[in-house]
Amino acid sequence: MPELNPPKSALGMVAPGSADPAVPPNRRDAPEAERKTPHLRPVWVVLILLVSCLALTVYYSQVVMPAGEETDSFLPTTSYAFVLLLLNLDLIGFVVLTLLLSRNLIKAYFERRHRLVGSGFRTKLIAAFIGFSLIPTVLLALVASGLVNKAVDVWFNEQIEKVMKDSYEVARMQHAGHIALAVNSARAIGQELFREDLLVPEQRDLLAAAMARKRTEYGVAGIEVFSAKMETLTKALDPEVPAGVLDLPISQLVLQVINGKQEFTSVQEAQMGRLVRAGIPVASSSRRGELEGVVVVEAYVPESLLTKMEGIGRQYAEYKQIKAMKNPIKAGAYLFVAVITVLIVFSATWFGFYVARSITVPIQRLAEATEAVAQGDLSVKIEAKATDEIGTLIDSFNRMTEDLQGSKSKLEQANISLRQTNVELDRRRAYIETVVDTIAAGLMSIDRNGIITTYNPSAERILGLSADRFRGRSANEAFKEFGLDLFQTAYDRMLADDRDDVALDGQLDVQGKLVTIGLNASRMRDEANKDFGFVLVFEDLTELIKAQKTAAWQEVARRVAHEIKNPLTPIQLSAQRLRKKFLEKAPDFDRVFDDATNVIINEVTSLKHMVDEFSKFARLPAPQMVRQSLHDVIQEVVTLYRSAHKDIELLVELDEDLPPINYDREQLRRVLVNLFDNAIQAMNQKGRLWVSTKYDTKRKRAVVTVADEGPGIAPEDQERLFVPYFTRKKSGTGLGLAIVRRIITDHEGQIQAGNNQPRGAVFTFDLPV
């Protein structure tokens, strides 16, 4: 049983299992097995002594003293002094145990008074155990005490004593009756032998018959007659008496009678019972003063009767001894009941302390460990042993501290990594800010709340407006205030159509001067595809467009001059030939005239056709947008070419997920016709032509691809492919692909050309959805 002595507090007492303030903190963290020093505690000693004394009391009262005697007694047999000593030792143990119990209860009281950790719960738990055990135990003790008092009074009342005394007298009288029977019978027989003179040799037969008759008459076990010389004259023995009893030695008794010349009695014990003998001298009738013989009468006491007689005698003697110990027996019984009561209360109190300690000690360890964790010590570990829910809580706490320590280590590493990352990010941010501030293009960023956050110096230069007038303001308010309609249009399209990018160009009035702006707006997204707003990059294209226009018109003038010069040469030659033949009055003038005029007419027709194509390119109408399916116009053109070109295999793959889009049906039909014509001419009217559509969900664009298996596009022609009047065909004008690009651009799309694999060319254009 563990000791009920809690560790010391400020007043010398703290809760069981609480940490001793004198113990250093590092020792508190040591395993509990190291902190415990084995020693024999006072409670163990007292309990061992008390239980030993109680056991000895019971043992000596019930086992030791009655040993070796017949055990018909219903009361214990023990010595008064030894029992009194044991009772005193029991009383001392009871007092010491009560003091120890009181000491622990007083400690618990002072612990609660000083509000030590767990003292309140421990006190309540101990009080509950004591209360639940004290009431029934006290009631049981009172009832037991009453029963003991009544039982002792019943044992030692006058009626029992009278019965015991009468029983003893009856037993004593029974024993005296057997002796009296033997003596009286022997006297009567001796007188008759003397009177009848039956001991003479002539009366031997009559003597034997007379003794047999007398034995039956007196009811004795046997009659033996001896001469003065100790010779056996006759025997009359009861055949029912065991032979081993009647064979007991008799010579000593006969010798005593002869020598003493008086009667003697003897009591001899046998295995089967007791034999009482009475010897009477028989005087000689002829010789005065001499003995003629001795008659011995034997009375047999059976073993069963003997046992009862002895038992009654022993019990009466013991009763008189025990009666003298009536008060000590009562005191011992009361003390036994009191000790049992105290043991029950002590057990309940100890169990309360044990249960409370098993709960409060881990709780206190948890509180101390929690305080250590709160101070930043994550290496703390609770060593308290528990197997219930408290043990689960302790295990969870230990795992939590281990996880926290691991997390702290990881957090420190992450913090170091984060610092390095922040330094890198600061460096990159500074680099990006430097790039943004130094790039020639204007840059403006708008967050997802519509607030302008970035406005670089190039934007100030291009728009002539300082950054302070834009940063931190709503984009819609700033665009409206400064008349930035092009920016407002791009921003509205990004919001309305949920586009990822928009490309526009137009003119703005910057400080009274028209400036051509090329604007590209893109949506900013992170790796998780989360929207962060928009970035607008714009350039002043005034000088660039002016230079491009100059260069374009120079190229157009050169190409037009070249195209006009080509037909003028045959016209000039035909006119000169015609004039020569006319002046010569040549006989073949009519034939020459006809040939020359045909040449002139054909070349003029060619010039007219070229001028018409140029006019068409110059006055290409604005697209009329209608929301409709892109697949309808593709299927229409595919059907037309399948019926017109039998040697062309058209392979069509259309994306069913592509939604309807806004486009001009006639212009887009012209785009497809131009691309199909170029592909068929490249394949010399024979081969496979692929047409496919795809919906780019991320960019929200409709992608159309037209591919052939012709000779492909030469690398040097890639950059000039969409330039007006550039062609590799003998009869081409070089305006077909330029018109295609113009239409796609008017639809806010883009077109690209490249080589197909393994051979051929591929044209890809995309339109906004």
Side-chain angles (χ1 to χ4, degrees):
M1 181 181 299
E3 183 188 4
L4 297 182
N5 298 330
K8 295 181 179 179
S9 67
L11 293 180
M13 296 168 284
V14 296
S18 60
D20 192 338
V23 179
N26 58 344
R27 287 295 297 160
R28 296 183 188 178
D29 297 334
E32 193 168 344
E34 296 180 4
R35 285 183 282 142
K36 290 184 177 180
T37 56
H39 60 279
L40 196 59
R41 299 173 179 173
V43 175
W44 283 89
V45 176
V46 174
L47 283 176
I48 291 172
L49 291 176
L50 184 57
V51 171
S52 300
C53 288
L54 290 174
L56 286 174
T57 303
V58 175
Y59 177 74
Y60 274 96
S61 64
Q62 298 294 333
V63 178
V64 175
M65 297 305 296
E69 302 180 12
E70 301 298 330
T71 57
D72 286 340
S73 174
F74 61 88
L75 291 174
T77 60
T78 183
S79 66
Y80 178 84
F82 194 72
V83 171
L84 185 60
L85 175 62
L86 291 176
L87 289 177
N88 289 330
L89 291 176
D90 293 339
L91 180 61
I92 293 172
F94 166 74
V95 172
V96 174
L97 190 62
T98 304
L99 290 176
L100 290 176
L101 179 61
S102 302
R103 176 175 176 266
N104 284 278
L105 292 175
I106 293 171
K107 287 183 179 181
Y109 167 75
F110 280 106
E111 289 168 7
R112 177 174 176 82
R113 187 174 180 180
H114 288 84
R115 301 179 181 274
L116 297 180
V117 177
S119 61
F121 175 78
R122 181 170 52 255
T123 303
K124 292 179 182 178
L125 195 60
I126 294 170
F129 276 98
I130 293 177
F132 288 144
S133 62
L134 187 60
I135 295 175
T137 303
V138 170
L139 292 177
L140 182 61
L142 293 175
V143 173
S145 299
L147 292 176
V148 167
N149 186 45
K150 288 184 178 182
V152 173
D153 291 340
V154 168
W155 291 349
F156 299 106
N157 63 15
E158 294 179 358
Q159 294 179 354
I160 292 181
E161 184 178 4
K162 187 175 183 303
V163 170
M164 292 291 294
K165 184 175 181 181
D166 293 344
S167 299
Y168 176 74
E169 290 296 332
V170 169
R172 188 177 60 81
M173 290 172 64
Q174 180 70 19
H175 184 267
H178 282 84
I179 296 176
L181 174 63
V183 172
N184 293 333
S185 299
R187 288 174 181 175
I189 294 171
Q191 291 177 2
E192 187 173 352
L193 290 176
F194 175 76
R195 187 175 55 249
E196 299 291 336
D197 197 14
L198 294 177
L199 296 182
V200 296
E202 295 81 4
Q203 301 288 343
R204 295 294 171 82
D205 294 336
L206 182 60
L207 176 63
M211 292 303 101
R213 184 178 70 254
K214 289 296 182 180
R215 187 199 66 77
T216 305
E217 178 182 349
Y218 290 109
V220 294
I223 299 174
E224 297 184 41
V225 181
F226 298 90
S227 67
K229 296 180 179 180
M230 296 183 64
E231 297 176 350
T232 303
L233 300 179
T234 185
K235 287 184 180 181
L237 303 177
D238 187 355
E240 294 183 0
V241 177
V245 176
L246 296 176
D247 289 340
L248 291 173
I250 196 173
S251 58
Q252 184 66 30
L253 178 63
V254 174
L255 182 61
Q256 287 179 349
V257 173
I258 293 173
N259 292 334
K261 295 181 180 181
Q262 60 181 357
E263 61 183 35
F264 281 93
T265 60
S266 68
V267 178
Q268 293 177 292
E269 301 293 338
Q271 186 175 3
M272 304 300 293
R274 177 183 295 174
L275 187 64
V276 178
R277 284 174 171 167
I280 300 297
V282 180
S284 175
S285 58
S286 60
R287 297 184 303 277
R288 181 176 296 272
E290 296 292 330
L291 295 179
E292 188 70 27
V294 177
V295 60
V296 179
V297 177
E298 300 168 342
Y300 171 64
V301 182
E303 182 183 8
S304 58
L305 179 59
L306 183 63
T307 302
K308 290 181 175 61
M309 291 170 59
E310 292 178 352
I312 292 173
R314 185 173 59 253
Q315 289 175 1
Y316 182 63
E318 291 174 356
Y319 179 80
K320 289 192 295 182
Q321 293 178 1
I322 295 299
K323 185 176 181 180
M325 298 174 60
K326 177 180 178 181
N327 292 330
I329 289 175
K330 275 190 177 182
Y334 291 150
L335 181 61
F336 182 78
V337 172
V339 169
I340 295 299
T341 302
V342 172
L343 283 177
I344 294 175
V345 175
F346 176 80
S347 299
T349 307
W350 171 83
F351 192 71
F353 274 111
Y354 177 79
V355 174
R357 185 170 60 252
S358 65
I359 297 175
T360 56
V361 169
I363 290 177
Q364 185 175 5
R365 298 283 171 80
L366 280 171
E368 294 172 356
T370 304
E371 182 66 24
V373 171
Q375 294 176 0
D377 183 10
L378 298 180
S379 62
V380 64
K381 187 175 182 181
I382 301 175
E383 299 291 345
K385 296 180 181 179
T387 57
D388 51 6
E389 290 77 4
I390 299 293
T392 303
L393 180 61
I394 290 175
D395 293 339
S396 300
F397 181 87
N398 290 334
R399 287 196 300 270
M400 181 193 71
T401 54
E402 291 177 359
D403 294 342
L404 284 176
Q405 191 172 13
S407 300
K408 181 181 179 182
S409 177
K410 293 180 181 178
L411 188 61
E412 291 174 350
Q413 296 177 358
N415 189 24
I416 296 174
S417 177
L418 185 60
R419 289 178 183 175
Q420 296 174 351
T421 303
N422 287 336
V423 172
E424 181 66 19
L425 288 176
D426 290 340
R427 187 183 65 79
R428 291 184 180 181
R429 182 165 51 251
Y431 177 78
I432 292 173
E433 289 177 354
T434 303
V435 171
V436 170
D437 291 341
T438 55
I439 59 175
L443 187 142
M444 180 188 300
S445 64
I446 306 172
D447 64 16
R448 55 186 176 183
N449 296 321
I451 304 300
I452 299 174
T453 56
T454 304
Y455 189 83
N456 69 344
S458 296
E460 294 180 340
R461 175 179 53 80
I462 294 173
L463 298 181
L465 298 171
S466 64
D468 296 338
R469 307 177 72 178
F470 281 88
R471 289 198 186 105
R473 296 187 60 187
S474 171
N476 291 324
E477 293 179 1
F479 294 160
K480 183 178 181 181
E481 179 180 350
F482 300 116
L484 303 179
D485 296 336
L486 183 65
F487 288 76
Q488 186 70 58
T489 300
Y491 184 55
D492 290 343
R493 287 186 182 181
M494 294 287 288
L495 292 176
D497 299 339
D498 197 19
R499 295 185 180 185
D500 286 339
D501 53 74
V502 169
L504 295 177
D505 57 66
Q507 292 184 334
L508 292 176
D509 184 359
V510 178
Q511 298 179 350
K513 177 182 177 182
L514 288 177
V515 177
T516 301
I517 300 296
L519 175 64
N520 288 280
S522 300
R523 188 181 299 273
M524 293 186 293
R525 298 184 186 274
D526 60 4
E527 295 179 354
N529 203 30
K530 184 178 180 181
D531 190 359
F532 276 93
F534 308 96
V535 59
L536 283 68
V537 180
F538 52 93
E539 295 180 276
D540 183 358
L541 302 180
T542 305
E543 299 299 328
L544 178 61
I545 290 177
K546 186 183 296 184
Q548 287 179 347
K549 285 183 178 180
T550 300
W553 281 112
Q554 288 176 352
E555 179 66 17
V556 169
R558 185 181 65 80
R559 293 303 300 269
V560 169
H562 177 73
E563 295 297 332
I564 293 176
K565 181 179 179 181
N566 287 338
L568 287 179
T569 298
I571 291 174
Q572 181 182 8
L573 292 175
S574 297
Q576 289 175 352
R577 182 183 179 192
L578 181 61
R579 187 173 188 278
K580 179 181 177 182
K581 291 293 184 179
F582 176 76
L583 293 175
E584 291 177 353
K585 305 292 185 178
D588 57 349
F589 178 76
D590 293 337
R591 181 181 60 79
V592 173
F593 180 80
D594 184 60
D595 293 338
T597 54
N598 284 333
V599 170
I600 293 172
I601 291 171
N602 290 333
E603 293 301 328
V604 170
T605 301
S606 177
L607 284 173
K608 183 179 179 181
H609 176 68
M610 181 190 64
V611 172
D612 289 341
E613 288 291 326
F614 183 75
S615 298
K616 289 179 181 179
F617 175 71
R619 62 173 185 269
L620 193 65
Q624 302 297 318
M625 298 296 193
V626 177
R627 189 172 183 83
Q628 52 193 320
S629 174
L630 181 61
H631 294 166
D632 292 343
V633 68
I634 293 176
Q635 291 288 6
E636 179 183 342
V637 176
V638 168
T639 302
L640 175 65
Y641 276 83
R642 274 179 177 165
S643 59
H645 299 275
K646 302 299 183 182
D647 295 332
I648 297 298
E649 181 183 358
L650 286 165
L651 304 175
V652 182
E653 183 179 354
L654 304 179
D655 189 351
E656 298 296 334
D657 296 332
L658 180 63
I661 64 174
N662 291 322
Y663 68 92
D664 186 318
R665 189 183 186 92
E666 290 301 323
Q667 289 192 9
L668 205 58
R669 184 174 182 276
R670 185 173 182 182
V671 169
L672 295 172
V673 168
N674 269 297
L675 294 178
F676 281 27
D677 283 342
N678 287 342
I680 291 172
Q681 291 178 16
M683 294 186 296
N684 294 323
Q685 310 295 322
K686 185 177 181 180
R688 291 181 294 178
L689 180 64
W690 290 271
V691 183
S692 64
T693 61
K694 182 182 179 182
Y695 180 36
D696 189 342
T697 56
K698 185 176 181 181
R699 297 173 56 236
K700 294 187 177 181
R701 310 284 286 186
V703 181
V704 182
T705 302
V706 179
D708 60 57
E709 52 181 5
I713 303 172
E716 62 272 14
D717 296 340
Q718 287 281 354
E719 297 297 329
R720 305 167 58 193
L721 200 59
F722 297 101
V723 176
Y725 300 108
F726 172 77
T727 181
R728 291 295 184 185
K729 296 184 292 184
K730 295 180 179 180
S731 61
T733 61
L735 294 176
L737 291 179
I739 293 173
V740 167
R741 185 173 188 177
R742 174 72 180 275
I743 293 173
I744 297 300
T745 303
D746 289 343
H747 281 73
E748 299 181 5
Q750 296 177 350
I751 186 169
Q752 297 175 345
N755 287 319
N756 193 20
Q757 296 298 330
R759 59 190 297 267
V762 57
F763 287 84
T764 302
F765 65 89
D766 58 68
L767 301 174
V769 176

